[in-house]
């Protein structure tokens, strides 16, 4: 670990907050007596399921697209994404009057593909197991003069996602509370990096915890190793939003400095957390949005007697999968 | 219509707000860019699905039970309810250390029965089509010395539900907005009466609209007739929470004075509103909680160019019914 400057600062997140304010939903902190009773903690939920496009991704995408100089906007933007970044970029491009091309896995949830098209984007499908999405996106960017919008390893994207943490810090301060724990799930780590930067600027002693699907715990492994390493799992998880192979370079620079540690949850545990959210929280949470909640409910995040903030990062789940999960849980 | 004093005042609702504050969830107002785009209105949702017990009913129940003198508390309470009032009374009784007996229809949703028992209440089932729930409850009350907690026709219950409107008025004032329309669904009319009293105390020109299942529009018929009349429908609606035969005497005294009118929505329209809430709002809303939203989405409440507040009054729906509705919608 070095003391070199980090790729984003709290001031970058303040600036992003001003940029996204006219279009992003200022999500509240929610409380649940039944979740408090279950965990023995005082839990606050940050429901990014209520965000424009159904996940936090709109924040980073809109901040990034707004940073593109007018002269370069005619070329449009291109992004690769399993679905939530896709919708975030598509919605931001639509608002800003830019063309968006999104490279999505052919097996991404139908609802995410349809919703991305619904925001006016052009969707190009690829095979997750045989094709290289970065190469496809780079080729489109080169041919059209489009700006590539990376899903996490970009300071503007990270600063945009950091507004989640800025709002958490503001709301906790307004309540007169110091969070002991703030936990969010990670794929490339942009959300948790932005949150860590914003929350620790106001509450330096808060433990920021990253939650990952079991077997896809590259952040946890990387934090232990002190350098970005890939997860070893070649299997599948139903957390379709959280399948990045390893942490980003820029996100890990932040996360290795600021995170307290990582936890993981199995698909079964995540499914039970989704069913709990249906029954008791009345919130629709997608698999990749419920990992931190699952880690809290199983005690892997031990919040007993503490003040904990759990980020529910997205709610874009197909109705048929959701039906199976809530009937099983 | 007379100028006789109404059964509740805005001051009663202020008092109720103080009583319930330590236990009730202060639900936020939520916004949805996609709902605004769909309706052409500026819509604020009041999500009582996030309330303790999953519906607004906890507010009135807790306020009522808190009003019972200490000397009478040993006899406990008895209530009849299709489910949400049951849970509200059971949870309030548990907090206050009172015994609760709840008389519920045998065909009420399993989740509501199980959750009522989960709050420590004794559940007595009856046949909705052949037995008289009021007589059963009155018999239990007489035998045990229990206090009967009516679902709506009680000033303490109405004042408790009115805190929903008080919070709406406070939050709209904080945003610097005057609501043109506030709409909520009704069974006996306690919620909409309390809301009307609280909202019109701050915003006298706001139109308060009652929403009902098609064929169960006794409030709309009564408002037209100028006296409480029953709906004529002997059929069924899947809005299990909204099956009262006619408005309450006390609730109608308020509603006939303060409401702007009534609208109704069919089960199919309500189902589509629930599916929209799943897909776009990420909120779990039960049939009886989604009628006003359905009326807004179909244009029966015409809010184009206006500021409208829609109350989502409950989210207690069985997983199997919910799965059918979201897959159909």
């Amino acid at each position: 670990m070095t003391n070199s400057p980090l790729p984003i600062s709290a001031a970058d997140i303040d600036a992003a907050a001003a940029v996204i304010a006219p279009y992003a939903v200022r999500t509240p902190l929610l409380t649940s007596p039944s979740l408090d009773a279950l965990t023995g903690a005082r839990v606050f939920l940050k429901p990014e399921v209520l965000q424009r496009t159904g996940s936090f991704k709109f924040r980073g995408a809109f901040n990034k697209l707004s940073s593109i100089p007018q002269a370069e906007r005619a070329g449009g933007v291109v992004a690769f994404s399993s679905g939530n970044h896709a919708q975030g970029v598509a919605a931001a491009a639509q608002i800003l009057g830019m063309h968006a091309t999104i490279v999505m896995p052919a097996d991404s949830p139908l609802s995410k593909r349809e919703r991305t098209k619904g925001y006016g984007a052009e969707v190009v499908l690829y095979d997750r197991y045989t094709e290289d999405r970065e190469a496809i996106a780079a080729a489109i960017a080169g041919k059209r003069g489009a700006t590539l919008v990376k899903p996490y390893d970009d300071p503007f994207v990270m600063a945009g996602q950091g507004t989640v943490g800025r709002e958490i810090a503001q709301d906790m301060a307004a309540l007169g509370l110091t969070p002991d724990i703030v936990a969010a799930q990670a794929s490339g780590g942009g959300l948790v990096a932005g949150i860590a930067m914003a929350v620790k600027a106001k509450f330096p002693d808060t433990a920021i915890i990253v939650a990952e699907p079991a077997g896809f715990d590259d952040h946890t492994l990387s934090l232990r190793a002190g350098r970005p390493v890939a997860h070893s799992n070649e299997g599948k998880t139903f957390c379709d939003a959280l399948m990045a192979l390893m942490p980003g370079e820029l996100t890990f620079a932040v996360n290795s400095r600021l995170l307290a540690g990582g936890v993981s949850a199995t698909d079964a545990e995540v499914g039970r957390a989704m069913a709990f959210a249906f029954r008791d929280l009345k919130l629709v949470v997608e698999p990749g949005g419920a990992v931190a909640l699952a880690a809290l409910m199983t005690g892997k995040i031990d919040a007993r007697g503490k003040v904990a903030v759990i980020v529910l990062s997205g709610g874009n789940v197909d109705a048929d999968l959701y039906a199976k999960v809530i009937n099983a849980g």
Side-chain angles (χ1 to χ4, degrees), chain A:
Chain A
M1 246 176 279
T2 71
N3 285 317
S4 61
L6 292 177
I8 57 167
S9 68
D12 294 330
I13 297 170
D14 290 341
V19 168
I20 71 170
Y23 299 101
V25 174
R26 172 70 165 82
T27 56
L29 286 182
L30 303 177
T31 56
S32 160
S34 54
L35 185 57
D36 286 358
L38 182 71
T39 58
R42 188 165 176 191
V43 183
F44 294 85
L45 299 165
K46 180 66 170 173
E48 283 298 294
V49 302
L50 306 176
Q51 186 52 260
R52 188 187 279 262
T53 72
S55 89
F56 72 96
K57 287 283 191 179
F58 176 76
R59 298 173 184 260
F62 191 83
N63 193 48
K64 172 62 181 178
L65 267 62
S66 297
S67 78
I68 299 173
Q70 287 294 339
E72 296 170 24
R73 291 192 183 186
V77 291
V78 59
F80 45 86
S81 164
S82 61
N84 283 335
H85 180 58
Q87 291 179 67
V89 171
Q94 188 174 51
I95 290 169
L96 294 168
M98 298 169 74
H99 181 82
T101 308
I102 313 290
V103 182
M104 298 182 74
D107 63 347
S108 61
L110 179 63
S111 63
K112 290 183 176 177
R113 300 201 306 269
E114 291 302 316
R115 288 166 60 101
T116 302
K117 288 180 193 167
Y119 293 115
E122 180 184 346
V123 171
V124 176
L125 299 179
Y126 77 101
D127 182 328
R128 189 199 295 272
Y129 302 100
T130 62
E131 296 186 273
D132 178 353
R133 65 183 189 173
E134 304 201 24
I136 296 169
I140 292 170
K143 197 165 60 184
R144 301 190 183 169
T147 303
L148 177 66
V149 182
K150 294 183 185 175
Y152 45 85
D153 227 11
D154 179 297
F156 285 99
V157 172
M158 292 163 67
Q161 322 304 30
T163 59
V164 173
R166 186 175 183 271
E167 292 169 9
I168 291 170
Q170 285 178 335
D171 289 357
M172 294 305 286
L175 291 167
L177 293 172
T178 296
D180 297 301
I181 294 166
V182 175
Q185 32 282 323
S187 185
L191 173 64
V192 73
I195 287 174
M197 179 59 69
V199 170
K200 291 187 83 82
K202 194 163 244 164
F203 299 109
D205 295 334
T206 297
I208 314 292
I209 297 175
V210 59
E212 302 177 280
F216 291 77
D217 55 343
D218 45 296
H219 288 271
T220 304
L221 296 173
S222 299
L223 289 173
R224 281 194 207 131
R227 61 187 169 81
V229 296
H231 61 72
S232 56
N233 199 307
E234 294 178 4
K236 293 187 179 185
T237 168
F238 85 144
C239 299
D240 59 272
L242 306 182
M243 295 184 69
L245 184 63
M246 61 191 295
E249 188 183 330
L250 301 182
T251 60
F252 189 70
V254 173
N255 290 331
S256 60
R257 196 87 66 84
L258 299 183
L259 297 201
V263 292
S264 61
T266 66
D267 280 4
E269 291 166 342
V270 171
R272 284 194 289 274
M274 289 171 66
F276 176 84
F278 164 76
R279 274 196 319 270
D280 283 76
L281 307 177
K282 314 300 181 189
L283 293 172
V284 178
V285 188
E286 67 180 276
V291 183
L293 177 63
L296 176 75
M297 288 174 57
T298 55
K300 291 173 184 177
I301 296 174
D302 183 6
R304 196 160 292 276
K306 296 181 178 172
V307 174
V309 180
I310 303 293
V311 179
L312 305 174
S313 47
N316 294 318
V317 52
D318 285 352
D320 55 353
L321 172 62
Y322 194 69
K324 280 181 206 133
V325 171
I326 63 175
N327 273 297

